[in-house]
Structure formats: C-alpha cells, structure tokens
Amino acid sequence: MSISQEDLFSIALGLEKPWFIKAIEFKVEEKQLDLFIDFESGSKFTCPLCDKSGRHVHDTIERTWRHLNFFQFKTYLHCRVPRTECDKCGVKQVKIPWARKSSGFTLLMDSLIVLLAQHMPAKTVADLIGEHDTRIWRVLEHYVQVARSNEDFSKVHSVGVDETSRAKGRNYISVFVDLDDSKVIHVCEGRDSETITSFKSDYEAHKGMARDVTDFCCDMSPAFISGIESNFENAAITFDRFHVMKLMNEAVDQVRRQEQAHNASLKRTRYIWLKNPENLTKKQMKELGSLKDMRLKTSKAYEIKLSLRDFWDIRDPVLAQLYLKKWYFWATHSRLTPVIDKAKTFKNHWNGILNYVNTRIDNGVLEGLNSLIQAAKNSSRGFRSTKNFIITIYLRLGKLQFNLPT
C-alpha cells in the first residue's frame, strides 16, 4: 500500500476532514518546507461564538504559522482560513485545530517553546528555533496567563513575601509564596504596602478569601507590616528568622569595622564572623580561635549573635519569651552601639519574632526560590522589561499546570 506525500503530512499534522494537505513545497537552498492546507469544497463549519454547526463559508483569509521543523527544515503551514456567516453572530473566523487564535505558531510549536523556556532563557530559545525573542515572549505570556487563570488559592493559608530586583539596585518586585506548597503564587512591581493590596486582589480573584490567611512571613519592612495588617486581619505576622540574623550579622560587621580602625588583625576577617562555626574551614576556625584570645569587641558581638541563633531552636513559648528577654538584656548592656541598635529594633518587633515559636515558618523556601530567580536573571543577562522578568518567575517557580498539546 502506497501513501502520497500529502497524506503522509496530513497524518503527521493530525489533520481530519474537512482539512487536507493541498500542496507541498521544498525549498532546499532556504532549508524550508511549506505545507499548504485547504478544506473540502462545500464544507460547513461551527460558529466560533455560539457553537452552532452547519454555518456556510462567507469568505477566506490567508494565514501562515511556523511549525516544528521537519528533517531540519523550517516548516510553515499556509491555509485559507474560512469565515462563517452566522445569523446571530455575523461573519466570524472559524477555529482551526492546529493553532490558537492570533498566533503565528502552531500549538505544537507553542508547546516546544514553553517547555524549552522552563529551562533556558527566552533569547536562547529564540536563537535555537530561529525566531525573534519578542515572538517567544508573546507565547510565554499567553500560556502563563491562561495557566494562572486556572489557579485555586482557596487552600493557601501561609504566605511568605520578599523583594528582589530586576537589575542591580532598581526595578524592585515583590514575590509572594505559598509556604506550604513551596510555589510562587503572585509577583508584582514595587515593594511598598500597595504590593500587599495587589496580592489580596489576586488572591481573592483565585478563589481565596483574605480572612482565611492565618500566617504571613516577611522582613521588618514597615510597608509590608502595614499592608498585611490592613488587608489580612486574621494573619499573624512572623518575622523571617533569616532576616533577623542578617540584621544581627550587620551589627557584628559594624563592630568589626569600628575595631579594625585600630586593630589590623581584623582586616580581611569579615566572612569569618559572618559564617556559623560549623561552616568555617579548618584555617578559618584556627584564625577565629586566635582572634577570640585577643578579647575583642568583635568577639563579644559574635557571641551575642550565636546566642540569638540558639533562640530559633526553642519550642516552648514560655521558655522562648524568657530566653529572648535575657538575650535582650545582654545585648543592650553590651556597650556595643551597633548591637544595641539592632536589639532595640528587635524589641519593636517582639511579637513577630516570638511568633516563630508557634508557627515555625520562615522565608527559607523563598530564599531558595530567590536563588533560582537570581540564576534565571544571570543566565538571561537581565531582562528588557519587568513584565518579562515576572513571566519567567511564574514559568519556572509557579508550578503552573500548562495545558499543552503533545
């Protein structure tokens, strides 16, 4: 049994009546394959708006789509797409089975683009298939929007929020994470209280109810705090322990810098004081021991930091309260101004720090995701627009369910 080229490509494309391959053109020098699709004479179609079948063809429009390569040939589908005449809806272009409306790619090409973009920069995808990256971003934006429209946040009760930037020191965005499912659920521009309002609107648009959010984890940004208190009245705020320890590290380093001015032994020792003891190399451990023998102010600040670190392991709320009070007394009587300043900052956010004992939530998940965000940013060498940056975050970290043809 022999089969024509036209029938072979019809099978490869999954074409069904009334569609068929009318002609095939190989352009060897251009490495291009053109497939011309037509429909059987006298065919009737379904109205794309009211779904009434048996609509007559009013006229046709010539359309072209980029398809997956055949035999390393760039492949294009060409078709005169019919427009139906409907008594109720007027003249409308019919739905075609191989491409979505207003797209210049076939559905299978869309699938390839989305799958590749989950693992490589859009520019790399564009270079790989020989298209401009602007077309790639249009495809990605469409599928991210569709996938997000199907999201259900009704079971999201614990949320973490943090900020990051599209470029160094500018164009900040806020990233919201479902702490239970470790997925990004909302990204928006800015880092003020309005970002919390933006999240609330998006959360409620996806079947969530603001009163059902029981826990929020964030840094000590006044903007985040006021936004959460205004929009999520039932949410207990837990201040991220990584942020608290980061502030404490800053205090230790400030003490070191001040002391370094009259003690050259502290030069080039910054990372020794910032690391936890178990993360030091043997050489750093030896150097730390020598520095501690010098009874430095920096050593005192370091011990206060390590003592604060132990707080996070306490599980009894009463013991945690007593421990933090003793730590606060020690820190504020240390005669180390940077340490005293940070301790007073923690005092102003006392309940949010103590809440960790009950909630055991932090932005560790978000910190991990943020490292992936930075990796995506670095591999792409930046993004031309914040919108593209946000699309990439959803695409790679949103755990979105894409309904892609295979």
Side-chain angles (χ1 to χ4, degrees), residues 1 24 43 45 69 72 91 96 104 113-114 121 143 149 159 165 178 207 213 241 291 325 353 368 377 404:
M1 175 181 170
I24 301 170
S43 297
F45 295 89
N69 288 3
Q72 304 304 313
V91 177
I96 51 174
I113 290 169
V114 173
Y143 281 97
S149 69
V159 179
S165 62
D178 176 358
K207 302 179 182 179
V213 176
R241 66 182 176 125
L291 291 168
K325 283 183 177 179
I353 294 174
K377 183 167 64 175
L404 299 171

Side-chain angles (χ1 to χ4, degrees), residues 310-321:
D310 292 339
F311 162 79
W312 309 106
D313 295 327
I314 302 173
R315 292 184 176 272
D316 184 291
V318 176
L319 291 178
Q321 176 90 310

Side-chain angles (χ1 to χ4, degrees), residues 190-206:
R191 53 176 177 172
D192 54 19
S193 60
E194 290 302 312
T195 62
I196 307 296
T197 304
S198 170
F199 169 68
K200 179 184 179 182
S201 297
D202 190 62
Y203 177 77
E204 293 181 335
H206 292 88

Side-chain angles (χ1 to χ4, degrees), residues 30 94 178 182 206 220 222 236 243 246-247 256 260 283 368:
E30 292 89 340
V94 304
D178 176 358
S182 302
H206 292 88
M220 295 177 186
H243 177 70
K246 179 182 177 183
L247 293 179
R256 181 194 64 82
Q260 175 185 290
K283 181 180 178 182

Side-chain angles (χ1 to χ4, degrees), residues 139 252 299 312 344 368 371 374:
V139 172
V252 173
S299 295
W312 309 106
K344 289 182 177 179
S371 67
Q374 297 307 313

Side-chain angles (χ1 to χ4, degrees), residues 271 274-282 284-285 302 309:
Y271 291 103
L274 295 183
K275 283 185 176 181
N276 292 322
E278 64 272 16
N279 296 327
L280 295 172
T281 65
K282 288 182 179 180
Q284 289 173 329
M285 282 291 293
Y302 182 71
R309 188 181 71 148

